[in-house]
């Protein structure tokens, strides 16, 4: 099965603000960015099935690309940063933040989840997807989800995950 993972376009959030699962707005450049993503997807068509994170930044891109009825699945949402959501990292005085910096793979954000927890739910989604008879699938999701999928497919290692962040509007392909 070929899976095309599409990252949402640029968010309208100040740099350094932790936004995870918060439903944030997209930049005013959405249409220009989305047009490029849609054009880049043309060489991968057709898809047997299309999924999207339920967050509007993914749903909006899926709709723009011609998939307003993409199946929504919460397991492909971005990492949950709990009480850190919408706070600038440099203004976060939670003592767990330093623990998270030291071991983001295993330390959960206060009231949220760790990268390992996100990986577990994305893996569960992909395990289920592998059982389906689709040949080609599109998934509109988030940077963290795309990283999890690449680790799952054996393309990158968890320790180097965030050196491989797909740009906004970018597309990666994995095989299952």
């Amino acid at each position: 099965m070929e899976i095309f993972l599409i990252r949402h376009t640029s968010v309208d959030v100040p740099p350094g603000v932790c936004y995870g699962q918060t439903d944030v707005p997209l930049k005013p450049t959405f249409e220009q960015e989305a047009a490029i993503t849609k054009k880049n997807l043309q060489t991968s068509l057709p898809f047997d099935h299309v999924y999207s994170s339920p967050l509007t930044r993914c749903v909006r891109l899926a709709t723009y690309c011609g998939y307003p009825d993409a199946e929504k699945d919460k397991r492909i949402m971005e990492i949950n940063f709990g009480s850190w959501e919408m706070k600038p990292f440099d203004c976060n005085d939670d003592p767990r933040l330093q623990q998270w910096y030291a071991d983001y793979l295993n330390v959960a954000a206060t009231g949220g989840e760790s990268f390992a927890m996100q990986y577990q739910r994305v893996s569960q989604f992909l395990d289920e997807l592998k059982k389906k008879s689709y040949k080609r699938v599109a998934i509109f999701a988030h940077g963290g989800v795309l990283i999890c999928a690449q680790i799952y497919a054996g393309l990158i290692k968890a320790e180097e995950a965030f050196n491989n962040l797909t740009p906004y509007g970018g597309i990666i392909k994995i095989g299952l």
Side-chain angles (χ1 to χ4, degrees):
M1 177 185 309
E2 291 180 315
I3 299 177
F4 294 83
L5 295 125
I6 305 102
R7 187 176 181 201
H8 60 79
T9 57
S10 301
V11 295
D12 198 5
V13 175
V17 170
C18 180
Y19 60 89
Q21 288 189 0
T22 301
D23 219 354
V24 297
L26 294 168
K27 284 193 174 179
T29 55
F30 169 76
E31 295 239 353
Q32 295 91 336
E33 292 179 59
I36 293 167
T37 301
K38 183 176 182 177
K39 182 180 178 198
N40 291 337
L41 271 180
Q42 296 304 309
T43 60
S44 307
L45 299 175
F47 297 115
D48 299 320
H49 200 78
V50 178
Y51 292 92
S52 178
S53 159
L55 295 176
T56 58
R57 57 190 183 262
C58 295
V59 172
R60 188 170 172 201
L61 181 58
T63 299
Y64 184 94
C65 290
Y67 305 101
D69 298 322
E71 183 177 342
K72 315 305 182 284
D73 196 305
K74 290 182 177 184
R75 294 174 295 178
I76 54 174
M77 289 174 65
E78 187 57 280
I79 194 167
N80 180 350
F81 281 114
S83 65
W84 301 352
E85 296 267 340
M86 298 312 294
K87 290 183 181 175
F89 280 106
D90 60 2
C91 293
N92 185 342
D93 58 2
D94 185 332
R96 288 186 58 84
L97 183 62
Q98 293 309 313
Q99 295 170 6
W100 182 80
Y101 281 145
D103 185 11
Y104 67 87
L105 294 175
N106 299 300
V107 175
T110 301
E113 63 185 343
S114 67
F115 181 76
M117 294 164 77
Q118 180 186 30
Y119 178 78
Q120 182 178 12
R121 67 177 158 79
V122 172
S123 294
Q124 180 188 37
F125 171 83
L126 294 171
D127 286 344
E128 193 176 292
L129 184 58
K130 281 196 309 191
K131 296 175 184 172
K132 303 201 183 267
S133 61
Y134 304 133
K135 301 279 187 234
R136 185 174 282 156
V137 174
I139 300 172
F140 290 85
H142 309 271
V145 173
L146 274 66
I147 287 170
C148 289
Q150 290 176 85
I151 293 169
Y152 181 92
L155 300 176
I156 59 173
K157 294 179 182 170
E159 299 77 36
E160 58 196 32
F162 289 93
N163 296 329
N164 292 286
L165 190 60
T166 303
Y168 291 116
I171 303 167
I172 60 165
K173 178 182 161 186
I174 64 170
L176 294 184

